[in-house]
């Protein structure tokens, strides 16, 4: 899931300067789980913006499980509010940047509407865990090496992203860059030891194919049928 925070109201109002008739849209996926773009947060944002003199033409709030970044989920909700989208000066998105750009593309290319669209959230990356504490575990490098690292990602968990052993700065199992965190390489060592697989640390040095991180990346599922139920 993609974690996010609300942007400062002043920043949002800056984007909306001179744009008074608004459509607000949230997301029933990550932003609902992170309590930044679910129905209560969209309602609260509508209240705040109304107090600042904005006219809210519509609030679009896909329910839990309906992802704004997934066109088959978000498009029916946009379709229902097409008249308001035509009338608005701007769309404010309480979603991640994926959701915002998916909606921008649908509104522009499918409906032929050239509308300002602005972010209400600051996304902070993919995170797992819950129900209350979420942590970044994977940076989607395109070549997963967890099989070599006992299920602990040094690329993400080590601030230096060291792939072939520790830097030597660890003290009492903690990271020298961030002493609040365990050293990734101590964790990898301890886990391999518990698994009886310390020999894995003696293998050939890892050379990572960073070309797999070249952006923008894409996945084309056609002609595979996608079950959206
Ligand atoms: S190696 Fe780390 S960053 Fe790469 S895919 Fe695996 S968990 Fe994610
Ligand atoms: S102490 Fe461990 S986690 Fe921290 S930078 Fe060095 S190797 Fe990486």
């Amino acid at each position: 899931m993609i974690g996010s925070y609300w942007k400062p109201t002043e920043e949002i109002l800056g984007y909306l300067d001179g744009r008074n008739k608004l459509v607000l849209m949230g997301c029933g996926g990550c932003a609902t789980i992170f309590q930044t773009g679910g129905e209560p947060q969209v309602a609260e944002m509508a209240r705040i913006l109304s107090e600042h003199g904005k006219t809210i033409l519509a609030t679009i709030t896909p329910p839990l499980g309906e992802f704004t970044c997934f066109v088959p989920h978000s498009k029916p909700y946009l379709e229902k509010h097409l008249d308001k989208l035509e009338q608005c000066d701007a769309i404010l998105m309480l979603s991640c940047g994926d959701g915002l750009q998916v909606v921008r593309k649908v509104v522009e290319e499918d409906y032929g509407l050239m509308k300002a669209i602005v972010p209400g959230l600051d996304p902070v990356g993919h995170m797992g865990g819950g129900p209350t504490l979420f942590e970044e575990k994977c940076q989607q490098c395109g070549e997963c090496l967890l099989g070599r690292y006992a299920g602990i990602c040094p690329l993400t968990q080590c601030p230096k992203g060291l792939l072939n052993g520790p830097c030597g700065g660890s003290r009492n199992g903690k990271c020298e860059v961030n002493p609040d965190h365990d050293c990734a390489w101590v964790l990898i060592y301890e886990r391999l030891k518990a698994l009886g697989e310390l020999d894995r640390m003696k293998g050939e040095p890892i050379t990572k194919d960073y070309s797999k991180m070249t952006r923008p990346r894409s996945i084309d599922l056609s002609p595979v049928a996608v079950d959206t139920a």
Side-chain angles (χ1 to χ4, degrees):
M1 288 175 291
I2 297 177
S4 58
Y5 296 107
W6 259 28
K7 276 189 177 297
T9 304
E10 288 310 310
E11 185 183 344
I12 295 172
L13 288 170
Y15 290 133
L16 296 175
D17 191 27
R19 296 162 174 159
N20 293 316
K21 290 182 288 177
L22 308 175
V23 169
L24 272 54
M25 183 167 185
C27 171
C30 312
T32 288
I33 289 166
F34 284 97
Q35 300 176 34
T36 50
E39 197 173 338
Q41 294 80 39
V42 173
E44 175 64 4
M45 181 61 77
R47 187 191 66 74
I48 291 169
L49 294 176
S50 297
E51 280 181 359
H52 284 83
K54 305 294 182 186
T55 301
I56 311 303
L57 299 181
T59 56
I60 307 176
T61 53
L64 181 63
E66 299 277 288
F67 286 72
T68 294
C69 61
F70 186 43
V71 172
H73 280 185
S74 50
K75 202 168 175 185
Y77 295 96
L78 293 167
E79 207 92 40
K80 272 190 213 158
H81 295 89
L82 198 45
D83 57 332
K84 305 298 184 199
L85 290 167
E86 285 167 351
Q87 295 164 29
C88 75
D89 300 323
I91 306 163
L92 174 68
M93 295 297 301
L94 294 185
S95 73
C96 73
D98 280 337
L100 185 152
Q101 293 178 79
V102 163
V103 168
R104 173 185 59 72
K105 199 160 182 266
V106 169
V107 169
E108 191 174 321
E109 295 182 7
D110 294 6
Y111 305 147
L113 298 174
M114 184 57 70
K115 294 289 174 181
I117 183 163
V118 301
L121 303 185
D122 283 323
V124 291
H126 284 82
M127 299 193 173
T132 55
L133 175 64
F134 294 82
E135 295 174 308
E136 185 179 21
K137 297 291 185 195
C138 170
Q139 52 181 273
Q140 300 82 45
C141 71
E143 185 190 34
C144 191
L145 299 167
L146 287 178
R148 177 80 181 257
Y149 299 127
I152 296 164
C153 175
L155 206 60
T156 307
Q157 300 308 307
C158 167
K160 298 175 188 175
L162 299 177
L163 296 177
N164 286 296
C167 66
S170 173
R171 294 288 175 272
N172 301 318
K174 298 295 181 185
C175 171
E176 71 164 357
V177 177
N178 183 352
D180 290 338
H181 281 260
D182 294 329
C183 168
W185 276 98
V186 170
L187 294 177
I188 291 169
Y189 174 86
E190 294 295 351
R191 194 145 201 280
L192 284 172
K193 191 173 163 189
L195 290 167
E197 296 182 356
L198 274 178
D199 278 354
R200 286 186 185 272
M201 292 192 96
K202 297 179 188 160
E204 286 292 304
I206 296 276
T207 51
K208 189 155 178 53
D209 182 0
Y210 285 97
S211 71
K212 293 183 177 172
M213 294 178 81
T214 306
R215 292 190 158 91
R217 295 178 284 187
S218 61
I219 295 174
D220 184 357
L221 292 183
S222 61
V224 177
V226 179
D227 181 2
T228 61

